Structures are given as structure tokens and as C-alpha cells.
Amino acid sequence: MLPAVVLLSGCGLDISSDDDTSAQSSATAEPTVQIAGAAMKGVIQQGLVVANRLIADKDGYYAPQRQAAKPVLTADDGSYEWQLRGKAEGWALVELTADGGTRMICDVVPQCDQAGGEPVAFGQTMPLDSNFSLLGAGDLRMETVNLTPLTHLAVTLAERSADGLSAVAISTAYTTVENWFGLPAGALRLTPPDLTNLDVTTSVSADAIQVAIANAAFLALVNDNAQWDSISDVLGDVTSQVSSTGQISITGDGTNVALADLVSAAALQSSELQNVVDSSVISQRLAVVQHRNVQRFKTIADVNEESDTSVVDSGEATDETTGGDQTAGTDSGSTSDSSTETGTDTSTDTSTGSEEQVAGNTEPDTSGDDTSSDTTIEETVPANAALLSWTAPLTRENGESLAMGEIAGFEVVYGTSAETLDQSLAIGDASVDELLVDELAEGTWYFAIRTLDTDGNRSRLSEVVYKQI
């Protein structure tokens, strides 16, 4: 089993049972496909959700096939389920609207300001105006479509396509919006967690938290700018920009919401949330998200409006300079520090059984010894911490492939001597590729990692990397 490459980075109430939906369960035995997901800005409760297939007309233009069906209401956790007639093929558009009974949980620390009303404390519910809406789209074979401000922007962008809401247009738009906000590939398909309840969801990935915080930033701007009275105002402004130009203003023009504003608000919320969570695991992941947002802000902060497309559509990962954070779709552990050196991994696995089974990487990894970002990272991470990142192995030493499902986790070992790595941290999640080791005393600290598979095999330790504290 190839061991990981270690990189030391520096600093519902369902009301759909009308005549139309009841026909779905009638004696005709017509096939149906269930679409499920969640409406998350904060958590949106009692929102009205409708799903429709996306069908092409004779000219190949894709648009929703409207059906006369009552909406379903999102549950208290924001989830919804919808039964759509027909086979599980093609794509669907899901729409959420609000009425007088719709509520949203305030996901901004310390509070959510309301025009003409008292502030709502973090974690408490607040009303949504009737103009509020969210869109999302997805492949019916996946059966999950989440609804967030970011998916709303992606659908709006896809609608500009000459083919309408085709599968290609939607997929491309989702990727573009991920790039705008420095999110890993596929992040908009993740179900964002409830930011007000993170301590009970310690298995949530940093990627999913980053998506949730990016969505929270839209409401955070209401607090910071008297120009915006509600989340609908902010979302409406950004949606209008995307609809008319295909992008978001990078640094702002004094009138419209800027991408830099949203990313900056996300970075601030990442920091604020660290003060309200009790879980050290979640705190570390929030630190990673903060670091990513700070790096993304620095990437776009000095770019003027005329060069929007070169930055917005570049697909640059927020942690590009650190060598490890940009890995898409992985669960991260935390932020931090400036490294003096990144390491290569030359470890191999040995079996704990009676017969030795080698499962490790004997090829050194040359993916990254990048210390160019040290000075910038130091501004956002503790001086007494080290951020480790690694790449999960793909094959065993004998050449056999190693699936992610066969990896049980990793073990990080460290100490003040390269020969005596007498402290360790176990990671029981194969998707984790970063870990913040903090509260380190002054001196030089050395780190290595080994991979553990589901059969109990353990790799030899990777090559040691170090950091001066």
C-alpha cells in the first residue's frame, strides 16, 4: 500500500399528494425517481420545493418541463424529498421559494442583522422574504440535488448557454462557480453542514464546511453593508451580475457585491466560528478553511475588473502555494505555518499477519517543495503549529491498485528528533489529507506518516519532514 506523501506547508412536511403526484403511485406502475437534498443557506425550514425534468426542444434547447404538482416543504434540517415521474435518467432543475411560513437559521457569527427588525442571534431562526429563491440542478442518476446560493449562481450561469440548461452547461457552470470561490472540484455536490451545530458532526469534511461558510458569506454582507437589507438583496445583486455578464465583479465598483467581499466575509466567518465550537477536530478544519479563504482573497484582491475572466475562471485552488491544500474533494484537518522543507514519501506497508504483505510507495514524490508562500501563510496561522498535508496512495508496492475504500486511515508521528518520533496522532478517515499539529514547543520538530489499510496492514514511515518553531 503506497503510503501518503507528506508535505509540510508553511504559513418535511410533504404536501405533494395532489392529483398529479397520486397518479405516480397509481395502478399504472409508472416508474419514479426520488430526488433528495437539502436547502442550506443557513438551514432553510418550511421552504417550498418543486422539481422538474430538463427536456430539450426540437432545437436542442434544454428547459424545465413544468408539471402541475404541489411543492414539498423542507424539514427542520433543510432536507427535502421529491418523487419525479419517469426513469432515473436525464437531469432535473430543483427550485425553492419562500412564503410566510419559511424560516432560516442564522448561520452568521455573532448575529444576523435584519432591516427594520432586531438582530437574530447565531443559531436562531429568522424569516425569509417572499423574494427569496434558490435553484439547483443535478443528474437524476445521482438522486441528490442540494440548493444553496452557490448552486443558484451556477444554474444562473448555465442558463446563459446557447443550449439552455443542458448537462454540459450545468456541469461546466458548477465547476466555474467552484473556481470563483476557491472550492475543490465537486464541492457543490457536497451537502453543507449546519454551521450552528458543527460539534455534533465531527465527521464532516473541511471541503463541506468551506461550502457552508461560502454560503454564509452572502448573509454576512448584510451585517457589514447598509446597502443590503436582506440575503435576497445580496443574492439578487450577484445573480444579476452573473446573468448579464457571466461573472462576478472581482474587487467591486462601489455598487455591486464583489467576489472579494464574499471571500473576505467567508474568511472572517471561519475565524469567528473557531471561537464558538468545542471540538478540536472541527476547530482545525475551520482553520484550514480560514487559510484557504485568506489565500483566495490574496489571489484576487489586486485584480481589477477588466481581468475578471483570467482570475475568476482560472480554477486556481486557494491553497495553491502550499502544495497540499488544493487537492480536490478531500477532507482536511487544519491550517498553519511556514515550512522550511517539504518531504517525499518512500515508505512501504508491512502486514500484521503471518505473511508479510508489502503495500507501500517506493517511489519518491516530487509533487511539492514550495516554500514561496511562507511569509503569507504566517499571517494566518499560529507560530507554534505545523500544517501537514499528504497524498493518499493509489497502488500497493506490488503494483495492485489501492482503492480509497481499502484505506482505513493514517498515523502521523512526530517528535523533536528524526530518530525519536515518540508522539502520534491517528486519523481514521481515508479522505483526510491535512492535519494541524499545534501547541508545539520551541525547537525543531520532525514529522512522518504511515498509511493503514482495512486489513490491518501498516506502511513503513514516509520520509521525515521538519519545521522550526
Side-chain angles (χ1 to χ4, degrees):
M1 174 172 53
L2 291 179
V5 174
V6 182
L7 301 176
L8 181 60
S9 300
C11 202
L13 173 59
D14 189 337
I15 57 174
S16 62
S17 57
D18 63 335
D19 294 341
D20 192 69
T21 53
S22 63
Q24 298 178 26
S25 58
S26 67
T28 62
E30 182 179 13
T32 62
V33 56
Q34 176 176 286
I35 305 174
M40 304 291 289
K41 171 27 233 97
V43 175
I44 298 174
Q45 303 171 337
Q46 303 298 293
L48 288 72
V49 176
V50 175
N52 291 286
R53 286 182 181 274
L54 292 168
I55 304 296
D57 62 16
K58 59 183 179 61
D59 298 320
Y61 185 86
Y62 284 82
Q65 184 183 48
R66 307 287 179 179
Q67 299 181 13
K70 293 180 181 178
V72 298
L73 298 181
T74 57
D76 287 346
D77 62 356
S79 63
Y80 76 90
E81 293 183 359
W82 181 275
Q83 295 293 329
L84 193 63
R85 290 179 298 181
K87 297 180 180 179
E89 56 187 27
W91 287 60
L93 177 71
V94 183
E95 304 173 76
L96 176 140
T97 56
D99 66 7
T102 306
R103 294 290 183 270
M104 180 179 69
I105 296 177
C106 170
D107 59 347
V108 175
V109 181
Q111 64 188 29
C112 296
D113 290 345
Q114 300 183 100
E118 293 296 320
V120 176
F122 177 71
Q124 300 302 305
T125 59
M126 58 189 295
L128 284 170
D129 61 82
S130 59
N131 294 324
F132 183 84
S133 65
L134 291 178
L135 298 172
D139 188 337
L140 289 173
R141 292 171 299 179
M142 304 300 291
E143 298 183 350
T144 299
V145 179
N146 294 314
L147 308 171
T148 71
L150 298 186
T151 66
H152 186 85
L153 297 184
V155 172
T156 301
L157 181 61
E159 288 175 331
R160 291 170 48 85
S161 166
D163 297 330
L165 292 174
S166 67
V168 172
I170 294 168
S171 297
T172 301
Y174 267 59
T175 298
T176 299
V177 172
E178 288 165 351
N179 292 339
W180 288 351
F181 289 86
L183 295 165
L188 293 194
R189 301 295 180 188
L190 300 174
T191 299
D194 178 2
L195 293 177
T196 69
N197 205 23
L198 286 176
D199 283 323
V200 300
T201 56
T202 55
S203 62
V204 68
S205 70
D207 294 338
I209 293 174
Q210 186 178 357
V211 174
I213 291 177
N215 290 314
F218 287 79
L219 185 54
L221 289 190
V222 178
N223 290 7
D224 298 332
N225 194 325
Q227 180 178 355
W228 315 113
D229 290 337
S230 69
I231 175 64
S232 293
D233 287 347
V234 175
L235 187 56
D237 179 89
V238 181
T239 301
S240 178
Q241 293 183 53
V242 172
S243 181
S244 61
T245 68
Q247 56 194 26
I248 306 174
S249 170
I250 292 294
T251 55
D253 54 12
T255 301
N256 294 308
V257 174
L259 180 60
D261 296 334
L262 290 165
V263 174
S264 177
L268 179 60
Q269 283 301 301
S270 304
S271 175
E272 295 286 354
L273 281 165
Q274 292 176 59
N275 297 323
V276 301
V277 299
D278 295 326
S279 167
S280 60
V281 172
I282 294 299
S283 181
Q284 288 183 0
R285 292 175 185 174
L286 286 167
V288 167
V289 173
Q290 180 186 356
H291 168 67
R292 291 175 177 179
N293 282 310
V294 168
Q295 291 303 110
R296 184 58 177 165
F297 180 81
K298 290 176 179 177
T299 301
I300 66 177
D302 297 326
V303 179
N304 61 34
E305 190 73 17
E306 286 71 29
S307 60
D308 276 358
T309 54
S310 65
V311 173
V312 171
D313 296 328
S314 66
E316 296 175 359
T318 55
D319 296 291
E320 183 180 4
T321 57
T322 68
D325 291 65
Q326 70 223 44
T327 304
T330 56
D331 182 316
S332 7
S334 41
T335 92
S336 234
D337 70 271
S338 68
S339 116
T340 56
E341 179 177 311
T342 55
T344 59
D345 180 61
T346 58
S347 63
T348 57
D349 265 3
T350 55
S351 168
T352 57
S354 57
E355 179 182 356
E356 183 178 48
Q357 298 177 354
V358 179
N361 180 12
T362 58
E363 296 296 325
D365 175 53
T366 58
S367 62
D369 181 6
D370 187 351
T371 59
S372 62
S373 62
D374 289 355
T375 55
T376 60
I377 297 175
E378 286 176 347
E379 299 171 10
T380 63
V381 297
N384 65 341
L387 174 63
L388 297 171
S389 60
W390 57 88
T391 302
L394 299 177
T395 60
R396 298 179 182 273
E397 190 180 73
N398 62 7
E400 294 179 357
S401 63
L402 179 67
M404 286 294 289
E406 297 178 279
I407 298 176
F410 307 95
E411 181 186 21
V412 172
V413 295
Y414 60 103
T416 54
S417 165
E419 291 73 34
T420 308
L421 304 176
D422 53 1
Q423 301 185 53
S424 66
L425 292 169
I427 302 167
D429 184 345
S431 67
V432 172
D433 70 345
E434 293 173 324
L435 178 69
L436 182 71
V437 183
D438 58 5
E439 298 184 0
L440 298 172
E442 291 185 4
T444 302
W445 288 83
Y446 299 84
F447 305 86
I449 190 172
R450 61 164 50 96
T451 306
L452 314 174
D453 75 5
T454 53
D455 292 328
N457 300 324
R458 305 166 73 229
S459 72
R460 291 204 301 261
L461 287 176
S462 68
E463 190 168 298
V464 175
V465 297
Y466 65 90
K467 168 131 191 260
Q468 180 72 40
I469 301 296

